[in-house]
Amino acid sequence: QGCVSGPAHTEQFKKTNPSLFIRQLQPYSPVRLSNSPGIQMDANLQSMHVGAVMRKVKSRTWKKQRYFRLQDDCATIWYKSKKAGNAHSTFSISDVEAIREGHQSEVLLSIAGEFPADRCFTLVFRGRRNNLDLVAESAEEAQSWVKGMRKLIESLENMDEQEKLDQWISDWFKKADKNGDGRMNFKEVRDLLKMMNMDMNEDHAHRLFTKADKSQSGTLEDDEFVLFYKMLTQREEVNKIFQEYSSDGQTLSLRDLEEFLREGQLEQERVQEHAMELIERYEPSDTAKTRQAMTIDGFLMYLLSSEGSVFKPAMQQLYQDMSQPLCHYFISSSHNTYLMGDQFRGSSSVEAYIRALKRGCRCVEVDSWDGPNGEPVVYHGHTFTSKILFRDVITVIGNYAFKTSQYPVILSIENHCSVEQQRTMALHLTRILGDKLLRNTLEGKAYSGLPSPEDLKGKILLKGKKIGGLEESLSGVVEDSLAAEVSDEDDAAEIDEENDIKSKQRLSKELSDCVVYCKSVRFNSFKHSSVHSKFYEISSFTESKAKKHIKDAGAEFVHHNARQLTRVYPNGIRTDSSNFNPQEMWNAGCQIVALNVQTASTEMDLNDGLFSQNGRCGYVLKPAFMRSMEKQFDPDHPETQDGYRPVKLAVEVISGQQLPKVNLKEGSIVDPLVRLEIHGVLKDQAKQETRYIDNNGFNPVWRETLKFTIHVPELALVRFVVEDHDKTSKNDFIGQYTLPFSCIQQGYRHIHLLSKDGTSIPPSSLFVHIRIKEGT
């Protein structure tokens, strides 16, 4: 019951495509797994299943033919070079994040003159994997693949947890079925258990195998394998909870389920209504539904669903007040956005801007330098990083700024250009961005303070140097542009300051006029700012300068940030594009904490965790005590704050499910442990971990409780980390999940783990019980 109809289809293909059939590079092998998720076939998927020869393009000079074909499972693309003997590759549809049509990648733009846009498309992979740029033989063929891929991605995204699990079982079944006959003998099953990260007693595994082998053929096929898997994955810890609340031992009645929601899930509001909704939504048995009851299958499906996850569903939506001044929000921000790799030799690419904007960044950096033919270029100055055209960067920002979020995007311009090329920059900005570029103050907002994200929806703001201020702009009195000398900022300024040299450069009036609410100024002191600074002025600090200010005058820094914007960026010595801890800066209310988003790191996990709330719109409202000029908050002494109320967090780490294998050596199985980290004000920084479990990444059980006191819950992030214990060297990373403390749901919850680069790794999860209490 796979995706494709089988031999009849193959015969038809033989008649209509004889030459292609002879060249067909993979034998037909139908999926026999009966519960493989079905997808409605259409002409596009039929065409993809037949396969196509397309050009894989890596650069202007590297364009090679490859044969691509959708596998029978409708979950994998198989491809092969015509010359490479038996070598072939595959990738999973679940790895593909999006399809872009036409010349929408740097590589395809570079060959735009050679191949028309209607034959070109790009597969964008999750995480940090490179795109796959393809050119089809015809526009029709390109459309078949674009529409077919989109349908497959959509059907995967719409799967419930049970279907995802079925797909996962199906994938493992195919990996283990070495001879492709749709059956598995005991040796294949034993090997499969090792591949699945499970070191199981052989006698026990054989007993389950024999029990599942209903046909007594000595092999498992179809439903037999599913039965074997279900016996293997009995969730004893879930059964125990189910039995505890079930009055008849068979089902949870409506009253049982209400009791579970009150006592187990610590819910208090609309409990009866919620219990009825859960039965309706997750109970697979119609009989149980009519009796208003839930079976163990429905119970497990609810616990594995997004409602049963650790993140409060209501806080994943846009739930915050978006009408406050811009400086009252943390803003998802990127440093040296153009880089795909390190700061010294990494390649600059418009792709890096697309990725940053698609993941929710609302402040991106553009380092502009004089380029050939009067065209400014973007790259990391005085290094070997490659160069891209300023106008190409602005085009991409215009195209992608509001695909993920409608809230404003800030372009942080680091300007090293001559006056002539600055004029070209201003021309590109106004022509390419048009109405999206904010050129004037908003009506009624001229002198009253910064506008809100809501006021600025769909707008792009320039952060840079400005001749004079808003007041002069509004009165029309501005000094002559060429006479204005403007100090540069950011990395260059940091170097100049250290050498005690003040670099001066001239600014064009045209570029200056593009700056409205984000005028870059050099920081003097908090005292000076409180008297002289304007609300529309913004200062940038290196991480070390920001840290020093936080240490010397934390409460003053918080006050400063309640009034105007601050940007913090990595020290220049981080040539490897590593990141600093953003939490320290958020603790002082700094809004634009710019990280190297291209670098997978704990720091990026924290950034992703903070901005995973509020509809992932890139703006998170700061706590009330950080927005008020009346209140005094010192991140180093939170106990002095009005209304100081610490809370207690207790997390029982119960079990883990299908943890991925990290060591690829044959026979190697993980020894998992779970660490819980609290990131927040200095007083809250803490971590605790469970013991490690020997040789079981499949279904480890810990049942250990980790306890914390959290002094400023409004600023705290909680990070769950799973590692493979190693006695002789550093533990290997398995998975993690980070979320704001304020977004945690109490009760029995699943934590769906993410990989190092922040992508999901289903069905890997942790099962925990969480309790939060007020009190010191």
Side-chain angles (χ1 to χ4, degrees):
Q1 281 190 21
C3 156
V4 172
S5 52
H9 176 74
T10 311
E11 283 308 312
Q12 178 61 30
F13 170 40
K14 208 186 269 188
K15 286 176 199 156
T16 52
N17 302 274
S19 60
L20 192 54
F21 185 78
I22 292 161
R23 289 192 292 130
Q24 187 162 350
L25 303 169
Q26 188 199 25
Y28 182 87
S29 57
V31 175
R32 293 168 191 262
L33 203 69
S34 64
N35 67 337
S36 183
I39 291 166
Q40 199 60 43
M41 283 300 287
D42 64 14
N44 295 322
L45 295 184
Q46 296 270 2
S47 171
M48 287 174 70
H49 181 252
V50 166
V53 174
M54 294 188 272
R55 280 179 180 84
K56 178 181 174 183
V57 186
K58 283 190 181 176
S59 69
R60 195 177 287 150
T61 51
W62 198 104
K63 303 182 281 282
K64 301 205 173 162
Q65 288 198 319
R66 295 284 184 268
Y67 174 79
F68 290 84
R69 179 178 181 274
L70 174 65
Q71 297 277 67
D72 304 315
D73 60 1
C74 273
T76 318
I77 301 291
W78 181 97
Y79 65 99
K80 180 168 181 173
S81 157
K82 286 200 284 184
K83 290 181 182 169
N86 290 322
H88 69 267
S89 303
T90 60
F91 61 84
S92 171
I93 304 287
S94 60
D95 294 337
V96 181
E97 187 179 283
I99 318 291
R100 294 192 209 134
E101 292 182 70
H103 301 138
Q104 283 209 67
S105 76
E106 212 145 346
V107 170
L108 291 178
L109 273 169
S110 74
I111 58 159
E114 202 177 336
F115 299 104
D118 61 7
R119 283 173 53 195
C120 300
F121 62 98
T122 302
L123 302 189
V124 182
F125 290 97
R126 296 182 191 283
R128 291 167 172 80
R129 184 170 164 183
N130 289 339
N131 294 345
L132 178 57
D133 291 301
L134 297 172
V135 181
E137 291 296 305
S138 68
E140 295 72 33
E141 195 164 68
Q143 272 304 298
S144 277
W145 278 79
V146 166
K147 287 178 178 168
M149 284 295 294
R150 282 183 180 153
K151 178 173 183 169
L152 293 169
I153 290 168
E154 191 183 348
S155 70
L156 274 178
E157 284 170 352
N158 291 335
M159 277 185 186
D160 62 27
E161 290 302 320
Q162 189 55 52
E163 287 171 324
K164 282 181 193 163
L165 193 59
D166 290 347
Q167 183 64 52
W168 189 76
I169 301 170
S170 160
D171 291 345
W172 278 114
F173 184 88
K174 283 183 303 223
K175 275 184 202 168
D177 182 18
K178 292 282 194 297
N179 58 5
D181 64 353
R183 299 164 179 273
M184 285 209 297
N185 60 33
F186 182 66
K187 183 185 179 307
E188 287 176 315
V189 165
R190 197 182 57 208
D191 292 345
L192 171 65
L193 295 184
K194 282 221 162 62
M195 284 160 67
M196 288 172 108
N197 226 344
M198 191 172 189
D199 190 14
M200 195 180 217
N201 174 291
E202 201 158 313
D203 292 339
H204 178 59
H206 201 269
R207 269 198 303 279
L208 293 184
F209 181 92
T210 310
K211 210 169 171 184
D213 182 16
K214 301 287 186 196
S215 59
Q216 298 184 340
S217 62
T219 60
L220 301 184
E221 57 178 300
D222 292 337
D223 298 341
E224 293 175 341
F225 178 69
V226 177
L227 179 64
F228 171 76
Y229 178 83
K230 286 197 166 158
M231 287 192 287
L232 193 68
T233 54
Q234 277 289 318
R235 295 278 304 272
E236 291 306 328
E237 74 279 30
V238 174
N239 286 340
K240 194 174 171 201
I241 299 162
F242 184 82
Q243 292 301 328
E244 197 183 316
Y245 286 93
S246 169
S247 32
D248 64 2
Q250 301 298 309
T251 58
L252 294 175
S253 67
L254 190 58
R255 188 173 287 178
D256 294 341
L257 188 52
E258 284 173 40
E259 192 184 339
F260 170 72
L261 292 178
R262 280 194 196 92
E263 292 178 15
Q265 303 301 66
L266 305 167
E267 290 183 20
Q268 287 159 352
E269 293 166 22
R270 43 184 304 276
V271 173
Q272 185 178 22
E273 207 180 322
H274 192 205
M276 289 166 79
E277 284 168 7
L278 292 179
I279 291 169
E280 191 52 45
R281 204 168 293 148
Y282 299 107
E283 178 49 54
S285 157
D286 289 336
T287 316
K289 259 188 198 173
T290 53
R291 286 177 38 229
Q292 288 197 323
M294 187 178 256
T295 61
I296 181 70
D297 288 339
F299 186 61
L300 188 54
M301 278 175 79
Y302 152 59
L303 289 176
L304 283 166
S305 74
S306 57
E307 272 188 273
S309 93
V310 69
F311 206 117
K312 285 180 187 166
M315 288 187 167
Q316 285 183 315
Q317 313 306 315
L318 190 69
Y319 72 95
Q320 292 182 333
D321 173 11
M322 301 305 285
S323 63
Q324 302 210 22
L326 220 48
C327 55
H328 286 184
Y329 298 83
F330 296 123
I331 302 170
S332 180
S333 306
S334 155
H335 173 62
N336 287 353
T337 312
Y338 45 86
L339 288 180
M340 296 289 279
D342 67 57
Q343 313 280 318
F344 198 63
R345 294 178 186 277
S347 63
S348 304
S349 170
V350 294
E351 185 62 40
Y353 284 94
I354 296 172
R355 290 185 180 193
L357 290 165
K358 296 265 288 197
R359 73 186 291 160
C361 277
R362 298 287 86 193
C363 179
V364 295
E365 187 181 6
V366 184
D367 283 12
S368 48
W369 298 77
D370 280 356
N373 310 316
E375 283 293 342
V377 291
V378 172
Y379 80 111
H380 201 228
H382 312 302
T383 66
F384 297 105
T385 57
S386 58
K387 301 175 173 73
I388 44 180
L389 288 173
F390 178 83
R391 67 164 184 249
D392 287 349
V393 169
I394 301 307
T395 301
V396 156
I397 290 170
N399 288 340
Y400 284 89
F402 305 110
K403 284 195 189 298
T404 300
S405 166
Q406 283 301 302
Y407 291 106
V409 168
I410 298 168
L411 294 195
S412 180
I413 297 280
E414 193 177 307
N415 173 17
H416 306 271
C417 289
S418 61
V419 170
E420 291 71 26
Q421 293 213 10
Q422 287 178 45
R423 288 195 182 112
T424 307
M425 285 166 66
L427 195 65
H428 288 325
L429 284 162
T430 49
R431 276 190 184 164
I432 295 167
L433 299 179
D435 290 345
K436 289 177 190 163
L437 181 68
L438 187 80
R439 301 288 308 280
N440 301 299
T441 53
L442 299 183
E443 271 183 48
K445 298 272 179 183
Y447 304 108
S448 59
L450 285 168
S452 70
E454 194 63 40
D455 294 330
L456 294 165
K457 260 185 169 177
K459 291 294 180 190
I460 294 173
L461 283 66
L462 207 63
K463 179 188 92 63
K465 297 296 179 185
K466 185 171 179 66
I467 303 161
L470 277 190
E471 298 80 2
E472 292 94 326
S473 301
L474 290 165
S475 64
V477 181
V478 178
E479 59 184 293
D480 175 39
S481 62
L482 296 181
E485 285 194 322
V486 186
S487 301
D488 186 35
E489 59 163 327
D490 294 358
D491 295 353
E494 182 191 347
I495 295 159
D496 292 338
E497 233 173 72
E498 283 164 8
N499 297 327
D500 204 29
I501 300 164
K502 291 283 181 273
S503 85
K504 297 285 183 185
Q505 73 177 90
R506 289 171 168 182
L507 181 67
S508 89
K509 180 178 183 302
E510 294 83 350
L511 191 58
S512 167
D513 286 349
C514 293
V515 175
V516 183
Y517 289 116
C518 299
K519 177 186 175 177
S520 296
V521 296
R522 188 179 290 282
F523 178 76
N524 186 312
S525 69
F526 291 125
K527 189 174 180 184
H528 180 273
S529 289
S530 66
V531 177
H532 301 287
S533 280
K534 307 286 197 295
F535 66 85
Y536 53 82
E537 291 178 342
I538 172 171
S539 298
S540 288
F541 300 88
T542 62
E543 57 178 284
S544 44
K545 287 264 170 64
K547 272 181 169 177
K548 187 176 185 313
H549 288 309
I550 292 166
K551 188 167 174 281
D552 295 346
E556 284 183 81
F557 209 166
V558 173
H559 256 180
H560 175 87
N561 289 326
R563 203 175 51 244
Q564 61 195 96
L565 290 167
T566 291
R567 176 172 170 270
V568 183
Y569 60 96
N571 283 341
I573 56 168
R574 290 186 183 272
T575 53
D576 58 350
S577 290
S578 60
N579 282 310
F580 60 89
N581 181 357
Q583 186 71 48
E584 286 181 79
M585 313 308 166
W586 294 327
N587 292 344
C590 299
Q591 304 87 348
I592 300 175
V593 180
L595 298 180
N596 290 301
V597 298
Q598 74 274 26
T599 307
S601 57
T602 301
E603 296 80 15
M604 269 315 294
D605 293 344
L606 298 179
N607 193 75
D608 289 345
L610 176 67
F611 292 104
S612 59
Q613 62 184 312
N614 205 30
R616 293 185 181 270
C617 76
Y619 284 82
V620 167
L621 190 62
K622 294 198 278 186
F625 55 77
M626 296 186 115
R627 310 193 301 259
S628 163
M629 294 307 293
E630 283 68 59
K631 293 207 169 130
Q632 190 80 5
F633 172 71
D634 184 343
D636 281 350
H637 301 284
E639 66 284 352
T640 61
Q641 178 204 335
D642 290 349
Y644 165 66
R645 295 236 298 275
V647 295
K648 299 251 185 228
L649 169 69
V651 178
E652 185 190 2
V653 180
I654 302 170
S655 62
Q657 292 73 46
Q658 289 96 29
L659 303 175
K661 192 167 174 170
V662 286
N663 189 332
L664 299 176
K665 283 184 197 153
E666 200 168 335
S668 158
I669 307 241
V670 303
D671 305 321
L673 62 86
V674 178
R675 185 169 63 253
L676 200 52
E677 302 173 352
I678 309 297
H679 297 263
V681 297
L682 195 58
K683 216 166 183 173
D684 285 339
Q685 299 285 355
K687 55 178 79 168
Q688 288 181 38
E689 59 188 40
T690 65
R691 71 189 188 286
Y692 68 88
I693 305 285
D694 265 325
N695 276 349
N696 187 354
F698 194 78
N699 54 4
V701 175
W702 290 276
R703 292 202 176 279
E704 284 184 56
T705 301
L706 310 176
K707 293 180 176 177
F708 302 87
T709 298
I710 299 177
H711 300 272
V712 188
E714 299 91 336
L715 284 172
L717 293 169
V718 180
R719 183 170 183 254
F720 295 86
V721 190
V722 187
E723 287 182 347
D724 178 11
H725 173 76
D726 196 309
K727 295 178 184 71
T728 55
S729 63
K730 190 169 174 273
N731 291 351
D732 284 324
F733 173 90
I734 292 175
Q736 68 84 31
Y737 189 82
T738 308
L739 78 163
F741 176 82
S742 58
C743 296
I744 289 178
Q745 291 205 90
Q746 295 190 83
Y748 290 101
R749 303 293 167 191
H750 278 95
I751 292 157
H752 299 280
L753 294 172
L754 303 175
S755 68
K756 196 166 258 172
D757 60 15
T759 55
S760 62
I761 39 175
S764 302
S765 61
L766 293 175
F767 187 49
V768 300
H769 186 267
I770 297 172
R771 191 177 286 273
I772 297 166
K773 283 183 180 169
E774 284 196 0
T776 49

